[in-house]
Amino acid sequence: MTELIEALNPPVADRGTGSVRTGTPVSRVDGRAKVTGQAKYAAELPAPDLAYGVVVSSPAAKGRIVAIDTQAALAVPGVVEVLTHLNRPKIRSFDIAYKDMTAPAGSPFRPLYDDRVMYSGQPLALVVAETFEAARYAASLVRFEIDTEPHGTKLSANLERAYKPKPLKAGYEPPPDEKGNTDAAYAQAPVKIDAEFYSGVEHHNPMELFASTVIRDPSGHLTIYDKTQSSQNSRWYVSHVFGLSKNKVTVRNPYVGGAFGSGLRPQYQLTLAVMAALHLKRSVRVVLTRQQMFSFGHRPETVQRVKLAADNDGTLRAIWHQAIAETSPIEDYVEVVVNWSGMLYQCDNIKLDYKLVKLDHYTPIDMRAPGAAHGVHALEVAMDELAWELKMDPLALRLKNYAERSPVEDKPYSSKELRACYELAAKKFGWDQRPLNPRSMREGTELIGWGMATGVWDAMQMFARASAVLHADGKLVVSSAATDIGTGTYTVMAMIAAEALGLPLEDVTFQLGDSTLPVAPIEGGSSHVTTVGSAVAGVCEKLQKTLFKHAKALSHSPFANTRFKDVEFTGGALRLKRDPQVALPLAAIMNDSGVVRLEEKYLMLPNMLKQRKFRRLVHSAVFVEVRVDEQTGVVRVTRVTSAVAAGRIMNLKTATSQVVGGIVWGISQALHEETYADHRLGRFMNHNYAEYHVPVNADIHAVDVIFAEEDDRIVSRLGAKGVGEIGIVGVAAAVSNAIWHATGKRLRSTPMTPDKVLGGGP
Ligand code: MOS
């Protein structure tokens, strides 16, 4: 823990008056607003004459609504209306209107559309009242008569219905064609393993509940505070569903209390709140309950099978990886589960396969490192099994098969410092002291085991716009409709701008979280720094050039004969690189040129022609120590060392926090989290914090994060590749491998709860 605390509280002055440098640790610029309650979240924004909506959820998993009794609810004092599919305002009838920017193939869910019930927990009514309490009580009185139909919610009972999905989703790559002849290579190889893996459903539990506050002004304009990973995605969705023009709707999300993928798609509280606001012509707030947070998408239940084959010296001969995951009856939710197995290790024969099964649940949704969190888990546990078959050190097996080019497609990597990750983390962890045999280490009543795994995630860049205004007093305001879901966007963007113009951090404001700002992508895929950060760098470079032009034009300018490449912006001034004493403060340049305000706009488009020649990934190497009590089956993860190669790290402090958060979630995936369904009812049962386990402080011990040096100008002009999701990938596999090393028991399903540890089965 000490090391973690040191990493988060480095002995470096965070807020000097000098200009800030990217790469250093800087505290959140919005930290004070958050801890003092000044930062307002979607459910906290005040509005005059606000009505409160509470959702009524379906008790049945499938069927038709034949009768609704709202009488008792309407009789509750303060209740204004009960909205159902029978009396809701008009919404569009074509699928395309419901397609948000991240919608997969299919026909998106439409709240309160008709009498059809598609899943347990589906919103069937919205009770609106003058107070939240009246609405909540009245919601408990609404009764539905549902003509039920048989449902299917169990993946294992429906595997024969698996099909290949349509690959229509932004950012989704279907598995590549087979390389070589995997079956033949597997048959011929002397050492092989064949293992099946299971990962249960996980639900999103960000601290902030999903909420939308729709503030209607007398003209009918709607300003919506929504919990979302993109104000512009929610704005687009509302406009299309309700047929409202762009200038009739503004969506804001200045603060988001965690989202991790749950806010990539507009959630139904938004639709319902807008419905009520239009119907009642007043402002409305809808907040979901913690239970209802289990009704709008989840990490899909997934079964996998991995076959690996190797020569006696550890050379990989075949990689075969198949995944079957659930989706909903209406959409093909797809994620990249198996493709990673074609990107990590050198191998001539690789076959990857991914299929879906439709279950009567809501469509699954991305959750931190979607696909990789369990896909890489299966591969990395299988690699550990193979290492034991070979009697080889697990790290030595990875190094033996280290890929210098992405194997399945034979492309170079844009950068890959994975070898450095292995070396740095192994050294810090003390891996060379690891005994090869399981059950070799014990202390008191606990067996001790060490395990490791590789992590991998995409290094993505999308397109974005940014604008910047420099004022004569030296204050800079940079804007883009980006989002800060707690990752540190405000801080990192301000740092990039401050560094570019040589300004102190406190003189730079980064505006985000408003759909009227310049276009930004959804905050997802760990791509905001590479995308929005590059747009910020681009717009600031335009400001630099304009300032330089003004400086050159001044009479007696010390820069009259200087070229742009020979100057720098530091300490609030334009300076000559080779003689920084030759300088003009930015304020002086503006004053002397008679400008009070300089404004620039910039469109950042990725260089796709260049980028697509490379496989662009971030990597990690994770080493963990577990202590297992064989009497109780309780596992403690007592040490984690993770080394990450994610290009240039822009803010060492917030990046470290992202990886620590990912590691905590990885431990959670390994030991705690699973949503259990009662398949007779087709319903998720443990939909609360008492029964859905997430780690608490006592579950987390020493966590140590290292960044390998890497600088990738193919992924972004900043050299950054993006950090966030990589933190979780491989952690649960390393825990599984460590449990095996401690106990000799191989667990192939997550979470690895005490019953499985004691039982020893998968
Ligand atoms: Mo993330 S799962 O791309 O929000």
Side-chain angles (χ1 to χ4, degrees), residues 367-675:
M367 183 185 282
R368 202 168 200 164
H374 44 229
V376 177
H377 176 83
L379 174 69
E380 287 301 290
V381 175
M383 284 293 283
D384 201 70
E385 299 192 43
L386 183 66
W388 177 242
E389 285 298 317
L390 291 157
K391 298 292 175 289
M392 236 177 129
D393 175 83
L395 174 56
L397 178 64
R398 267 82 171 180
L399 290 169
K400 172 91 189 163
N401 295 287
Y402 193 87
E404 301 293 351
R405 292 167 71 83
S406 182
V408 82
E409 63 217 324
D410 194 31
K411 263 187 196 176
Y413 298 102
S414 59
S415 59
K416 184 186 177 185
E417 292 301 329
L418 176 57
R419 204 186 289 279
C421 292
Y422 288 137
E423 281 164 14
L424 290 166
K427 183 151 187 277
K428 193 95 190 264
F429 186 87
W431 183 257
D432 62 350
Q433 299 301 306
R434 178 185 183 270
L436 188 66
N437 290 329
R439 301 186 70 86
S440 299
M441 297 188 286
R442 180 186 287 274
E443 202 176 288
T445 61
E446 291 177 314
L447 289 163
I448 301 170
W450 291 357
M452 60 84 57
T454 311
V456 59
W457 182 249
D458 282 318
M460 287 182 247
Q461 191 185 42
M462 305 178 205
F463 81 92
R465 291 180 186 276
S467 68
V469 179
L470 181 64
H471 297 275
D473 62 359
K475 302 274 194 226
L476 174 65
V477 179
V478 184
S479 309
S480 183
T483 304
D484 190 335
I485 54 175
T487 43
T489 311
Y490 278 113
T491 314
V492 175
M493 299 308 154
M495 286 172 75
I496 292 167
E499 178 177 57
L501 289 164
L503 296 171
L505 194 59
E506 53 269 32
D507 285 352
V508 180
T509 305
F510 184 69
Q511 290 187 319
L512 56 72
D514 188 313
S515 60
T516 62
L517 295 173
V519 175
I522 299 171
E523 181 166 33
S526 306
S527 64
H528 242 31
V529 164
T530 59
T531 306
V532 182
S534 297
V536 168
V539 80
C540 289
E541 189 184 51
K542 284 179 81 174
L543 273 182
Q544 287 178 337
K545 285 182 172 159
T546 308
L547 281 164
F548 179 63
K549 213 169 67 192
H550 282 301
K552 268 174 93 88
L554 295 175
S555 54
H556 311 296
S557 172
F559 299 101
N561 299 312
T562 309
R563 284 168 307 175
F564 182 70
K565 68 175 181 61
D566 296 324
V567 298
E568 62 182 18
F569 292 76
T570 51
L574 169 67
R575 296 171 198 276
L576 211 50
K577 272 185 194 162
R578 60 180 154 75
D579 183 4
Q581 297 303 319
V582 178
L584 278 177
L586 304 193
I589 298 171
M590 291 181 70
N591 283 326
D592 296 354
S593 319
V595 280
V596 291
R597 188 175 182 279
L598 281 181
E599 177 165 7
E600 298 291 348
K601 293 184 193 311
Y602 184 77
L603 167 63
M604 196 290 299
L605 289 170
N607 184 346
M608 280 159 72
L609 286 179
K610 182 169 158 200
Q611 287 183 346
R612 71 158 64 113
K613 291 184 189 142
F614 300 88
R615 177 50 65 178
R616 305 174 307 281
L617 301 170
V618 292
H619 294 94
S620 68
V622 192
F623 293 77
V624 312
E625 175 183 280
V626 300
R627 290 173 186 243
V628 183
D629 188 322
E630 276 203 305
Q631 299 293 307
T632 62
V634 169
V635 178
R636 299 190 299 139
V637 178
T638 43
R639 277 198 302 139
V640 182
T641 301
S642 176
V644 172
R648 275 189 68 226
I649 298 306
M650 305 309 286
N651 182 346
L652 190 57
K653 187 170 184 174
T654 46
T656 302
S657 295
Q658 281 302 298
V659 177
V660 170
I663 290 167
V664 170
W665 204 340
I667 292 170
S668 190
Q669 180 193 354
L671 302 180
H672 303 282
E673 280 188 65
E674 182 171 11
T675 323

Side-chain angles (χ1 to χ4, degrees), residues 229 260-261 264 366-368 370 523-525 725:
Q229 288 172 244
F260 311 103
L264 290 173
D366 286 349
M367 183 185 282
R368 202 168 200 164
E523 181 166 33
E725 305 187 88

Side-chain angles (χ1 to χ4, degrees), residues 68-119:
I68 309 173
D69 182 355
T70 58
Q71 238 177 343
L74 285 167
V76 172
V79 169
V80 180
E81 181 65 283
V82 179
L83 282 176
T84 68
H85 69 279
L86 299 173
N87 64 345
R88 59 155 173 81
K90 191 169 152 43
I91 48 178
R92 292 244 167 103
S93 58
F94 296 107
D95 274 340
I96 189 83
Y98 296 82
K99 291 252 184 204
D100 71 274
M101 295 171 183
T102 60
S107 171
F109 174 65
R110 305 170 185 188
L112 307 196
Y113 188 72
D114 57 20
D115 62 354
R116 195 155 60 115
V117 175
M118 295 169 21
Y119 70 100

